[in-house]
Each structure stands twice: as structure tokens, then as C-alpha cells.
Amino acid sequence: MPHHRASSGQDHLRAGWEQRLERSLPAPRVGLLWMGLGLALVLALFDSTVLWVPARAYPLPSEGHSVKFSAIAPPLQSAFGWQNLTCPACKVLFTALNHGLKKEPNVARVGSVAIKICKMLNIAPLDVCQSAVHLFEDDVVEVWTRSVLSPSEACGLLLGSSCGHWDIFSTWNISLPSVPKPPPKPPSPPAPGAPVSRVLFLTDLHWDHEYLEGTDPYCADPLCCRRGSGWPPNSQKGAGFWGEYSKCDLPLRTLESLLKGLGPAGPFEMVYWTGDIPAHDVWQQSRQDQLRALTTITDLVRKFLGPVPVYPAVGNHESTPVNGFPPPFIKGNQSSQWLYEAMAKAWEPWLPADALHTLRIGGFYALTPRPGLRLISLNMNFCSRENFWLLINSTDPAGQLQWLVEELQAAENRGDKVHIIGHIPPGHCLKSWSWNYYKIIARYENTLAGQFFGHTHVDEFEIFYDEETLSRPLAVAFLAPSATTFINLNPGYRVYQIDGSYPGSSHVVLDHETYILNLTQANAAGGTPSWKRLYRARETYGLPDAMPASWHNLVYRMRDDEQLFQTFWFLYHKGHPPSEPCGTPCRLATLCAQLSARADSPALCRHLMPNGSLPDANRLWSRPLLC
């Protein structure tokens, strides 16, 4: 078992955080009418299910909320007769219907409208629309009756900014301690022969218990290669035994093969595991399904890794409805207590009592895996654009960022280094959350030794810069590729080489390796699964080290070196890139994303663009929805 050391002052910090949590319970705000609820539900489904994406990996970030809504609004206006609606009439109508909803929130009526919209826009097959709506409707109605849009904001959404400003996620700022920031001090390279630790990183396993070899990989449903997908035409191949290059997740045997074949990549000191355990069948999941996935995969990890300590983080697919993570002030059956309690029970052998305590409250925790290193596991669902519960109050949900500041300050006071793990990368978060996180990282750059995330399913990174000039790289977040094939990828996992456990260790990332299963070879007649190293980062990219400046320089080298970028593009997709070439706009968008640890901040990419022009925010700063 790992060494867990209680830090001085931890009880005081925890007490302060819990008091703030109690004070964070928001006052009720106005809700919206039932037609708006149907619209909100559909937008949530657009973001959460990724159901109707072409069966290939995504070469470009998908379009953002404003672009999506501008495409949806005209048919909605036509369907509901909104073309001639004036701004004053809209506000009167919404005010009246808002009061009606508060008196009688009719869930069935909301669901009926949402199903009609889902069908009208051809978002998914009718049975998927019906199942998804019935799964989401109770929670969505609860959210919208407690808060969200005022009538003015709703009309701004429907009729344009001249009628009202639609900005439901207001800006806010986190408080930093008055302790002055120490002068920046990059870590010294480890001495020759210093210990090096290997850390296994698992993310986005997405086990599909309904996976069935031979079924149609290109079915009409959001997720294929499973019972109910039907059989492919005679001219097409069915789903492979070990997985498939399509909108499919993994059978249990492939995950078992991954864990069984870890030997050549080890031995490991510890494991970071950043969530997304269930499959992408988000329109039909129950709590029983999610708990079965949690316990089955946890048991499988423990079986093959034995005494190696595993430190998990919560993914956005662990809950049902998907992305639905209420802040702790939501009590009762709609809270996340059912999930956090199950996680605490499943992960108890790996986590100390104080970590289990905050896990049960908010899905995040901190612990000391070895002397001089503090590990912080964040619940990144509290930053998520797709977490509809944040429409009630998106200001530092659960007080998690303020708790993070206190943990980092305590680590700075002790002289410890910190690793942060989480599922959704900070550049993919709501803007205010992302910018506050960016500010925290900049303040504690001397203390942060590593950041590790997943969620995007591809192999990338995000760089942090000083806030004053946005020119000095001070930290990097590593985004590891997924175990799942979803969409059109090889299965994979990551191994990090970390400065080892010894007095004075920097605990920084020294290098990383990515391992994959080549599905073409594994599924061939007589083939067997063989997990092999795809590449080693420093060797492949010619990096002098794995420090932030080296990754910054790599981005600009790839801008000017087409062959180097194509190598990155191949590895970005775990050795199975899309057939479409990635030309200049695609290359700039991809490289811009590597600089984007702060959401909606196009100035970070100014130097990438021709003539130093600012990039198109809709094109470059919207994020993939394939997670």
C-alpha cells in the first residue's frame, strides 16, 4: 500500500472548505417555460451523446454552442411559430409561462416537446430520442425550475442580442492567499542515475457489456457493434473480435488483454486512472448499469495490478444521465451520493480516510502517495460545459477550486510538489472555471510538478503561460489517449516516466510512452492481441526534456515543418489517422489547441496565425464532443 502522510493543518483546511460548502447553497432563481426546457434538453443531448457523428476520428474541433444554436434556431422558430415574435411580446410570454412552470412543472409535457424536436431535427432514431428524453427529463426540469434564464435572457437566446443578453454562466474570480508568489524556479534536471518512477495512466476505458462480434459497425444508433445494432450488409465486414474502427466501444476481453499485457511496460510505482468507465450508450443507462461498470472494471484493475496503488478520478460518463453531476447542495435522490458512495466503497483499498471523506461529498480528494509529493484528484465535471446542473450556479461548484488553492498553498508551505489528475482538460471547461484554474496554476507554478487528463480520446497536450505576457511557458497538462476505439481509433494507454522518490526530487515528467493494440493485426485471421509501444515522446519529437518550454517549441516547429506535424497527426490518432488529409487550416486548429489550456482565449494562438492575426474563435476554440 502507498505511504499516506497527513499534512499539518489539513483538519483546519478541511473544516474551512466544508463551511464554505454550506454557504454555497444558492438562492432560487427564475426558471423557463416548458418549450424552452425541451430545447435545453435537446442541446444537452447534442453535447452529451455525440450520437450522430460520422464513423471516423475527428480531424477538426467541432462547432461550438453558438454555431450549433444558430443552425437549430430557424427550424425551431418555424415549428413553433416564433418568426414574427417581437421582443416585448416574447418577454411577456416567457414571464407568464415562467410563472406557470413554477406552479406546475409538467415533466411529461416537457418530454413530449423534446422528443418532437429530437425527431424533427433528425438527431437520432426515434427510439433513441424517446429513451434519452425520458432519462434526462426529470433532472432537466428540476434544474430549469430552480434557476437559469430570465425571460430577457431567454428572448435574447431566441431573438438575438438586441432583445437580451444570453450569458447564463456569469464571470467570477477565485481568492488567492496574500502570501507573495515566490520567484519562478524551474526544476533542476535529475542527477545521472537518480531513481525514475514509471506511472501507468489509464483513461476512457468505456466498457460495452453489449459488444458483439460480427454486428454492424455503422448502424443508425449512436453506438454500434453491439446487440441490437443488427448485421452489416454482405459487402461489409462486421465488428471485429477485439474491437472496431467505428463508433464502437470495447468488449471486456480487450480491456482484460490490456491489463494482462502490461508486463513489458512496467513495473509501475502507481497508477493514475481518470475515468469514463461505462460505454457511450448514454440514452439507455441506469444507475445499476453504471455501478456494474464501476465494480466490474475496478475488480479487473485490482486483479491484474495487485498491490500497485491506483488513484482514480471521476469521468463525465460515470453518472446517469451522462454529464449530470449536481453540486453537493442538491440533496436526496437527485444528488450524486449514490455514485460517490459506490466509488468510496470500490476504491477504499487505495485511498486513505480523509480522501474518502471529500470523495463522498464532492468526488474529489487529495493524498500523499510518497514523501514530498501531494496528489490531487479533481472532479472536472464541476467545470463541464455539458453539466446541466451548473445552470443553477456555476460559481466554483462545491468550492473545489478554493479547496485546490488551500491544498496548493499547504504544499508550498511544506516544500512538497503536486500532481493533479482529472478527466476533462482545463481548456475544455467553462470559461470562468478555466481562467480561474489558469490563474491558480500560474500562482503555484513552482509547486506543480505534473497535470494529467484524458477525455478527448486522442494524444495531445495543453500549455500554460504567464498571464502577464502569455509568452513564457510555465506548465503543461498532458492529455493521454483513450483505451476505447471510439471513434475510429486503436485502443491505447500511456506510461509516464517521473523523477523518482528520493530527497529533493522534482517529481516532474521526464518522458512518456504510448502503447497501442493494432486492431487490424489483432482482428486478422489467426491474429492475437499484441500491445506494443507506439512511440516515446522525447525520442520521436527530438525534445531535450519534457519541460513546458520544449512542448511550446514543438508546436512552433510543427507549424513550420509539415513532416513533423504529420508524425504528430499520426500519433495524435494512436496510429490510425483519418483518411482525409490535414491541410493548413486543420494544422493551425490542431496546433492552436495544444496552446489552449485556457478556454476561449484566442490571443494564445496569435503567433501561430499568418501576420499575427487572431484566429476565428468559433473555428479554433470550440471543443470536440466525442467523449
Side-chain angles (χ1 to χ4, degrees), residues 68-152:
K68 281 186 297 186
F69 186 77
S70 66
I72 296 170
L76 289 178
Q77 287 180 315
S78 176
F80 294 110
W82 294 343
Q83 302 100 319
N84 300 320
L85 186 63
T86 65
C87 184
C90 177
K91 292 179 180 179
V92 170
L93 174 64
F94 271 62
T95 299
L97 290 173
N98 178 45
H99 287 299
L101 177 63
K102 291 172 70 174
K103 289 183 177 180
E104 185 185 358
N106 192 314
V107 174
R109 199 184 319 167
V110 170
S112 175
V113 172
I115 290 169
K116 290 177 182 176
I117 296 174
C118 184
K119 181 181 178 182
M120 176 184 67
L121 297 179
N122 196 28
I123 293 174
L126 179 59
D127 62 326
V128 173
C129 289
Q130 292 171 333
S131 297
V133 166
H134 292 325
L135 185 61
F136 276 79
E137 60 188 1
D138 286 334
D139 285 0
V140 170
V141 168
E142 175 67 18
V143 168
W144 284 78
T145 52
R146 291 184 65 141
S147 180
V148 191
L149 302 179
S150 68
S152 176

Side-chain angles (χ1 to χ4, degrees), residues 297-561:
I297 302 303
T298 298
D299 289 346
L300 196 68
V301 169
R302 186 175 292 113
K303 172 184 175 181
F304 286 102
L305 287 165
V308 180
V310 179
Y311 303 120
V314 183
N316 63 301
H317 275 264
E318 266 70 274
S319 186
T320 184
V322 67
N323 300 316
F325 286 83
F329 61 74
I330 299 295
K331 305 296 184 182
N333 188 53
Q334 287 180 308
S335 77
S336 292
Q337 201 64 36
W338 65 274
L339 180 61
Y340 299 151
E341 286 290 348
M343 287 176 170
K345 181 178 179 180
W347 300 340
E348 187 173 13
W350 297 324
L351 305 181
D354 56 346
L356 292 170
H357 176 73
T358 55
L359 174 66
R360 285 187 168 99
I361 296 174
F364 52 88
Y365 63 86
L367 53 81
T368 301
R370 65 191 194 192
L373 177 66
R374 190 75 170 162
L375 173 67
I376 296 175
S377 176
L378 295 178
N379 185 348
M380 299 298 286
N381 295 292
F382 290 145
C383 84
S384 173
R385 300 170 179 180
E386 280 73 55
N387 184 1
F388 48 87
W389 285 97
L390 300 188
L391 296 171
I392 297 176
N393 185 353
S394 64
T395 302
D396 192 15
Q400 181 178 215
L401 283 184
Q402 201 65 57
W403 168 86
L404 172 64
V405 168
E406 293 176 351
E407 280 286 342
L408 290 170
Q409 186 60 56
E412 179 180 280
N413 295 344
R414 295 190 302 267
D416 287 350
K417 300 299 182 182
V418 170
H419 285 176
I420 292 175
I421 63 173
H423 183 69
I424 301 172
H428 289 60
C429 294
L430 288 165
K431 182 176 178 178
S432 289
W433 201 103
S434 179
W435 283 51
N436 275 286
Y437 182 84
Y438 204 93
K439 179 170 66 174
I440 293 168
I441 298 304
R443 165 60 183 86
Y444 293 100
E445 62 174 293
N446 289 350
T447 298
L448 262 294
Q451 300 175 72
F452 310 91
F453 299 91
H455 184 62
T456 69
H457 293 195
V458 290
D459 187 341
E460 50 184 337
F461 53 90
E462 294 179 351
I463 302 173
F464 295 75
Y465 296 88
D466 68 292
E467 291 193 293
E468 292 76 21
T469 69
L470 294 179
S471 62
R472 180 176 65 86
L474 55 83
V476 61
F478 295 100
L479 281 57
S482 62
T484 186
T485 56
F486 193 94
I487 294 177
N488 207 26
L489 300 166
N490 283 310
Y493 66 90
R494 168 67 53 80
V495 177
Y496 292 100
Q497 288 83 59
I498 308 288
D499 195 7
S501 184
Y502 60 91
S505 172
S506 67
H507 303 283
V508 298
V509 174
L510 304 175
D511 204 350
H512 67 65
E513 302 167 353
T514 294
Y515 292 77
I516 65 162
L517 173 65
N518 186 312
L519 275 184
T520 302
Q521 296 174 0
N523 286 332
T528 56
S530 178
W531 295 82
K532 296 181 179 179
R533 188 173 66 202
L534 179 64
Y535 79 105
R536 181 183 288 122
R538 287 181 57 187
E539 175 186 65
T540 300
Y541 294 129
L543 303 177
D545 51 46
M547 300 301 291
S550 295
W551 296 99
H552 166 89
N553 292 335
L554 175 62
V555 172
Y556 287 89
R557 286 165 53 207
M558 290 192 290
R559 180 194 61 180
D560 302 325
D561 186 335

